[in-house]
Amino acid sequence: MEISDENFRVWAEKNEVYFDGVFRLAGPDAYAPIYSLISGLLHEGHKQVTFNLTGLEFLNSSGINLLAKLTIEARKMDDLLLVVKGTSQYPWQAKSLPNLKKLHPLIDLRLA
Amino acid sequence: MTPTVYGIESLTGISLDSSTRLTLSDGPLQLGWKHSGMTSDFIAEVMALRYSRSRKDYVQAHHDIGYLSNELIENAVKFRQPGEILIEAGILDGTFLIRVKNTIDGVTSSRFQQLLHRLQSRDPGELLLEQIETNAISAESGSGLGLLTLLSDYDAKMAWAFEDNNDQRVILTTTAAVAMPPSSNL
């Protein structure tokens, strides 16, 4: 399944979710379909789920809230390892992704 | 009437007369959400040029200016009452400064002032995590998360001035500053 508009694309392949482009949606309501897509994947019984953010160029604060909410959702599941793959190519990732680790210390955060 | 100021008061006095000035009007076309992204992209394109001597500095400056501008303009678009949004932006002494002026209603003004009051005595990084936890259990918007990311993750210096406008409306002027990378072509 895939959700996209002219600026971004998010899709899942097996247990990995890919984010691509510029996410600048207007708030929690606008991000709700993306939240449902990924939250569904978290509850499919995988041992590990990966958020691949290496194509995620820009994310507004409502989008950061989305990632944080998903991280908290994953934190509730004892058997699930959440891997977050990022890149230092996009400055927001080095600034804001470490917050996810503070929310859920067991995350495997990889900032290449 | 003297405005009520929160944050770093000295920022409100800085003149941005020689800066870039943009006015977003809401006339018959209605100001769309899209305009806040386009406007912040434009400001980032124009302002980051002077850092193009170093690829790393340019990318950093372009992103920081874009993120800061986008959050401030998104807030202005989201919470404003009908009327213009005035945006001034410039680089002074190695610092990017942006000032956004718009009108809000009395209820928004009091809610926002309560949030700023709470901010004064707390570490923004701690408040950010607290707010994220709160947002995870409620779907409420307008949580101030954008401002908290600016203060916590971008080390932005900010000031907010509220001025009564005699008609239940309040003029809100937000000024924000972030340090820019060292290299410049100027």
Side-chain angles (χ1 to χ4, degrees), chain A residues 4-107:
Chain A
S4 63
D5 77 1
E6 73 260 40
N7 298 311
F8 74 81
R9 195 158 85 91
V10 55
W11 73 99
E13 283 174 25
K14 292 181 185 157
N15 62 339
E16 187 153 0
V17 194
Y18 294 82
F19 296 74
D20 203 50
V22 172
F23 286 64
R24 211 150 26 190
L25 303 180
D29 294 348
Y31 278 107
I34 301 176
Y35 179 82
S36 302
L37 168 74
I38 301 168
S39 177
L41 181 73
L42 290 175
H43 289 93
E44 271 175 18
H46 300 289
K47 283 202 167 67
Q48 177 180 322
V49 167
T50 302
F51 294 171
N52 191 325
L53 309 179
T54 51
L56 184 46
E57 198 179 320
F58 187 93
L59 189 68
N60 64 1
S61 62
S62 300
I64 291 174
N65 190 43
L66 165 87
L67 287 183
K69 269 173 79 171
L70 289 164
T71 300
I72 290 170
E73 191 63 32
R75 186 180 69 188
K76 293 181 198 158
M77 302 165 72
D78 291 339
D79 307 333
L80 179 73
L81 172 66
L82 179 61
V83 178
V84 176
K85 283 187 197 166
T87 169
S88 47
Q89 193 191 340
Y90 301 129
W92 74 267
Q93 300 202 4
K95 289 180 201 285
S96 291
L97 288 181
N99 290 332
L100 301 183
K101 187 93 182 158
K102 289 182 197 159
L103 290 169
H104 184 11
L106 299 177
I107 276 186

Side-chain angles (χ1 to χ4, degrees), chain A residues 6 24-28 57-62 64-65 68-69 72 75 89 91-92 95-96 99 102-103, chain B residues 33-34 37 40-41 59-60 63-64 67 70-71 74 78 128-129 132-133 135-136 139 141 145-146 153-154:
Chain A
E6 73 260 40
R24 211 150 26 190
L25 303 180
E57 198 179 320
F58 187 93
L59 189 68
N60 64 1
S61 62
S62 300
I64 291 174
N65 190 43
K69 269 173 79 171
I72 290 170
R75 186 180 69 188
Q89 193 191 340
W92 74 267
K95 289 180 201 285
S96 291
N99 290 332
K102 289 182 197 159
L103 290 169
Chain B
W33 183 255
K34 216 173 172 177
S40 55
D41 282 348
V59 168
Q60 187 77 48
H63 172 78
D64 287 5
Y67 186 84
N70 188 64
E71 288 301 322
E74 278 189 2
K78 206 185 282 182
L128 174 66
L129 294 178
I132 284 173
E133 296 281 358
N135 289 359
S141 58
L145 198 72
D153 301 349
Y154 290 77

Side-chain angles (χ1 to χ4, degrees), chain B residues 49-54 57 91 181-186:
Chain B
L49 261 187
R50 70 176 70 195
Y51 299 99
S52 55
R53 185 175 289 174
S54 146
D57 287 355
I91 292 176
S183 89
S184 160
N185 295 336
L186 299 178

Side-chain angles (χ1 to χ4, degrees), chain B residues 18 34 47 83 97 117 123 161-162 166 173 176 179:
Chain B
S18 58
K34 216 173 172 177
M47 299 285 161
L97 276 145
H117 195 72
D123 170 62
F162 297 81
N166 297 329
T173 308

Side-chain angles (χ1 to χ4, degrees), chain B residues 1 163-171:
Chain B
M1 202 172 175
E163 210 171 342
D164 287 333
N165 201 17
N166 297 329
D167 59 352
Q168 307 288 319
R169 292 185 183 186
V170 177
I171 301 167

